[in-house]
Amino acid sequence: MTDLRQVLAAQVRNVLRSRWLVGYTLLLLLATVLLLRFGGSGTRALLSLVNVVLLLLPLVSVVFGTLYVYNAREFIELLLAQPVGRGAVYLGLFGGLAIPLSLALLAGVGGPLVVEALQDPSVWRPLAMLLTVGVLLTLVFTAFALCVAVLVEERSRGFGAALLVWLACTVVYDGLILLVLTTFRDYPLEAPVLVLTFLNPIDLARVVLLLTFDVALLMGYTGTVFARMFGTAGGLVAAFSMLLVCAAVPLWAGYRWFRRKDF
Amino acid sequence: MLLIQGLRKRFGRLEVLRGVDLTAAPGRITALVGPNAAGKSTLIKTIIGLVRIDEGTVLIDGQSIDGERAYRERIGYMPQAARFPEQLTGREVLALVRRLRHADARIDDALIGQFDLDPMLDRPIRTLSGGTRQKLNAVVAFLFAPDMVVLDEPTGGLDPVASGILKDKLIRSAAAGTTVFLTSHILTEVEELAHDIIFLMEGRVAFQGPIDQLLREAGEPRLERAVARLMTGSR
């Protein structure tokens, strides 16, 4: 445990000082302020912000995370040459990425929203949801990043794989859902679509966030199915748990490879 | 004391180490030499535990290292390329490795003074030159007055002055009883430093023993010629 804490502290410090992270924080800050100022009133601005969070967060987490691990290769070797277990080094890397990325989100998106919420108390609830889901998504895609960087030996291919993960979760998966919907439109599809949504962290995050903003009706019949499912406290817990599972699975798979990896 | 027996390692289809047997004794400098792709770095990394063993045993002071990590308390390692977290300072890196060695290890940071590294230690690593990083790398390897140091091309990237300081350090450590195990492709350096030489070729040990024995057997006065003879002779 103390080993993990030491590695974690060093990694967090290293990532927090990187220009990349500062840039990311400023980008989120800028996007949030601009959307709040010019993005229309109340919910409209928040909805645009949801899209930023859903696209940008996973992209930055998975790409920055993957590249960071490749760059840290020699340092990982140096750490492993110390009397330290591989688990401490691996989790230290994960936390060292996930914590600063989450802090960037809290500062960049959370900061301006808190100012907004001080004037308009109705913003508190969507604010809390947005940040919770955002942190969970950061965990999920940092876990994917580690998994990719451990499994794919070559840096350029790892970068490609990281982009593919992001594309698969954003564009490709939605395309597949649409395909299923159009192909089987004569059948009742609520249950299968619900399951499919549950399996993709970004879709799951989107549904949870949209429901917070009471725009479920805009999503038609499936929207009401979702509202019935996620509107309850139990549904919300299920959704959050599922996001944690989505982070745990790649994290665990990456560790299995990391433990046996030759450096 | 390092003892390796029947060590085999393959990466996919490529068999890098094909049954390596060797020893490195305390108080002596043992140099591992061989052509490119002979498996030198893989062998070094196996000793540190960075590369997993397929077959065979690596014993340090009679203890198998397989799956262990405590033995690394007593080993210093200097990898070929030194890269540290770019945003940390040298001092922070040294503090980190110190905290990772929980044992009440004796600290030997004499190299910091000898390299005149102290003024550089508070600057972020990213602002340091390759040579300075390599010096830091050497400091880390010797920081805990290890029983055994393993060095992969230690003088690569160092200027002649720094290289001389490091070589003196190796000689003094060996004289004090440390097992020094290094790879190098600079044969004049090996001739100057090493007591024993291990010639690795195509994943096997082609020669192992004191340098003068190799010279005698080859009938050559210089190591470079003797090694060249080994390389062509076994083809």
Side-chain angles (χ1 to χ4, degrees):
Chain A
M1 268 325 253
T2 53
D3 287 348
L4 172 59
R5 216 171 50 226
Q6 299 303 341
V7 177
L8 191 62
Q11 295 290 359
V12 167
R13 210 175 309 156
N14 187 42
V15 176
L16 275 181
R17 285 180 200 163
S18 87
R19 287 192 197 129
W20 251 89
L21 193 85
V22 175
Y24 176 51
T25 313
L26 289 179
L27 183 66
L28 287 176
L29 196 69
L30 193 71
T32 310
V33 169
L34 285 181
L35 284 175
L36 285 178
R37 284 283 157 278
F38 307 109
S41 58
T43 327
R44 282 267 300 278
L46 283 172
L47 277 176
S48 318
L49 207 52
V50 165
N51 286 320
V52 170
V53 166
L54 289 176
L55 288 178
L56 196 61
L57 238 60
L59 180 66
V60 171
S61 301
V62 76
V63 169
F64 175 74
T66 308
L67 292 180
Y68 183 84
V69 176
Y70 284 111
N71 284 336
R73 170 85 181 220
E74 284 88 355
F75 185 61
I76 294 173
E77 291 181 19
L78 186 81
L79 286 176
L80 291 176
Q82 312 302 318
V84 177
R86 291 201 170 189
V89 173
Y90 182 79
L91 283 178
L93 266 178
F94 174 70
L97 283 164
I99 292 172
L101 286 171
S102 300
L103 288 177
L105 170 74
L106 295 183
V109 176
L113 275 181
V114 166
V115 174
E116 185 80 6
L118 288 175
Q119 291 148 17
D120 177 5
S122 71
V123 176
W124 283 117
R125 192 177 124 79
L127 162 68
M129 286 294 285
L130 192 60
L131 294 184
T132 311
V133 170
V135 168
L136 285 171
L137 276 183
T138 302
L139 293 181
V140 170
F141 284 88
T142 308
F144 275 127
L146 246 76
C147 194
V148 166
V150 170
L151 186 63
V152 183
E153 198 64 29
E154 207 183 311
R155 186 192 158 97
S156 52
R157 285 171 63 187
F159 179 67
L163 281 179
L164 270 183
V165 168
W166 179 74
L167 271 179
C169 288
T170 47
V171 184
V172 178
Y173 200 87
D174 288 352
L176 283 178
I177 289 194
L178 271 181
L179 196 70
V180 170
L181 283 176
T182 46
T183 315
F184 299 102
R185 62 178 159 227
D186 299 334
Y187 301 89
L189 282 171
E190 292 78 35
V193 169
L194 198 63
V195 170
L196 282 177
T197 307
F198 241 87
L199 291 178
N200 178 356
I202 294 185
D203 276 349
L204 186 56
R206 179 182 295 128
V207 170
V208 168
L209 286 177
L210 290 185
L211 288 173
T212 322
F213 301 130
D214 290 328
V215 285
L217 291 178
L218 297 180
M219 303 195 299
Y221 185 58
T222 24
T224 35
V225 175
F226 284 137
R228 222 182 301 148
M229 165 73 197
F230 293 112
T232 60
L236 211 55
V237 169
F240 285 168
S241 312
M242 189 58 201
L243 282 174
L244 282 177
V245 169
C246 286
V249 169
L251 188 66
W252 176 77
Y255 177 61
R256 295 216 19 151
W257 286 309
F258 188 78
R259 221 177 39 188
R260 281 173 293 162
K261 190 176 165 80
D262 293 317
F263 285 90
Chain B
M1 179 77 173
L2 169 70
L3 176 62
I4 296 180
Q5 286 171 322
L7 180 63
R8 287 175 177 276
K9 179 71 197 178
R10 66 165 60 238
F11 294 113
R13 270 200 209 146
L14 189 69
E15 195 169 22
V16 181
L17 300 176
R18 312 172 179 203
V20 171
D21 300 284
L22 62 84
T23 56
R28 294 179 75 85
I29 299 179
T30 307
L32 181 66
V33 299
N36 297 336
K40 299 189 295 286
S41 286
T42 303
L43 183 54
I44 288 253
K45 287 180 168 185
T46 310
I47 300 169
I48 302 299
L50 290 172
V51 168
R52 298 281 145 142
I53 296 168
D54 281 352
E55 230 179 276
T57 50
V58 176
L59 302 174
I60 291 175
D61 294 334
Q63 302 259 308
S64 169
I65 63 158
D66 202 17
E68 296 290 324
R69 61 176 156 141
Y71 77 96
R72 281 182 238 134
E73 295 271 3
R74 292 170 293 121
I75 296 190
Y77 171 51
M78 183 169 171
Q80 195 166 5
R83 281 188 51 193
F84 302 99
E86 299 276 291
Q87 312 296 332
L88 298 186
T89 66
R91 217 176 288 287
E92 284 171 327
V93 169
L94 291 179
L96 171 66
V97 286
R98 269 175 86 152
R99 284 193 217 105
L100 291 177
R101 307 248 175 171
H102 343 85
D104 39 340
R106 201 152 55 82
I107 295 297
D108 173 9
D109 54 7
L111 275 179
I112 296 179
Q114 287 163 18
F115 283 142
D116 205 12
L117 206 55
D118 205 61
M120 305 289 191
L121 285 184
D122 291 312
R123 302 204 339 216
I125 304 274
R126 76 187 132 82
T127 64
L128 301 182
S129 72
T132 309
R133 291 172 201 215
Q134 194 65 357
K135 288 177 190 170
L136 186 62
N137 199 9
V139 170
V140 172
F142 283 98
L143 194 59
F144 305 95
D147 297 343
M148 177 167 160
V149 270
V150 178
L151 311 98
D152 199 351
E153 302 284 351
T155 56
L158 290 179
D159 62 42
V161 178
S163 169
I165 293 171
L166 183 58
K167 284 183 201 167
D168 288 344
K169 182 74 185 173
L170 293 176
I171 292 167
R172 259 181 288 122
S173 301
T178 305
T179 309
V180 179
F181 193 77
L182 59 89
T183 71
S184 179
H185 61 255
I186 309 169
L187 288 175
T188 49
E189 182 178 290
V190 171
E191 203 165 12
E192 174 191 350
L193 281 174
H195 304 107
D196 298 317
I197 189 165
I198 293 168
F199 188 78
L200 195 66
M201 196 153 137
E202 286 163 2
R204 287 193 189 87
V205 173
F207 175 86
Q208 161 161 225
I211 287 194
D212 18 320
Q213 186 193 329
L214 173 62
L215 297 179
R216 220 168 34 242
E217 278 179 15
E220 295 280 357
R222 307 299 302 173
L223 184 61
E224 193 143 27
R225 300 237 173 213
V227 166
R229 186 167 281 230
L230 267 182
M231 286 175 69
T232 48
S234 57
R235 278 212 178 116

